[in-house]
């Protein structure tokens, strides 16, 4: 569960926030009521890219290989207007 905290409060209570993060708490830092940053446990951040990478690789492995042939640089950047 994320807790919203203003930037000013985050500045004043930084050690308290770090203690909460160590215990698994996440925070959304706001400025003038709008979210500007997220403070999350360090290991939580790496889970999303790893899961996304695995999903992408499994999807790519399932796709058939397409033999597109060779093309020139001009053909790649050809304007189709």
């Amino acid at each position: 569960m994320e807790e919203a905290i203003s930037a000013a409060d985050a500045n004043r209570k930084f050690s308290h926030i770090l203690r909460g993060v160590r215990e698994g708490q996440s925070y959304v830092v706001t400025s003038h009521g709008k979210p500007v940053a997220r403070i999350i446990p360090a290991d939580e951040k790496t889970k999303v890219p790893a899961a996304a990478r695995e999903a992408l690789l499994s999807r790519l492995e399932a796709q058939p290989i397409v033999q597109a042939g060779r093309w020139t640089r001009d053909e790649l950047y050809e304007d189709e207007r």
Side-chain angles (χ1 to χ4, degrees):
M1 175 90 182
E2 288 184 338
E3 180 181 331
I5 187 166
S6 72
D9 282 344
N11 190 30
R12 284 190 293 270
K13 301 176 182 178
F14 193 67
S15 60
H16 174 75
I17 289 172
L18 287 181
R19 192 175 315 117
V21 170
R22 271 189 230 110
E23 296 170 358
Q25 178 70 33
S26 298
Y27 297 89
V28 174
V29 181
T30 62
S31 178
H32 303 288
K34 295 183 180 182
V36 294
R38 181 169 279 122
I39 303 174
I40 62 173
D43 61 340
E44 189 174 314
K45 181 182 175 189
T46 59
K47 290 179 189 175
V48 173
R53 183 174 43 255
E54 289 300 318
L56 175 62
L57 289 175
S58 69
R59 182 176 174 191
L60 289 174
E61 288 172 353
Q63 290 182 343
I65 297 173
V66 176
Q67 297 297 331
R70 296 184 60 88
W71 55 82
T72 66
R73 183 181 187 96
D74 290 336
E75 290 171 329
L76 285 174
Y77 296 100
E78 188 175 87
D79 190 7
E80 295 183 16
R81 289 188 219 174

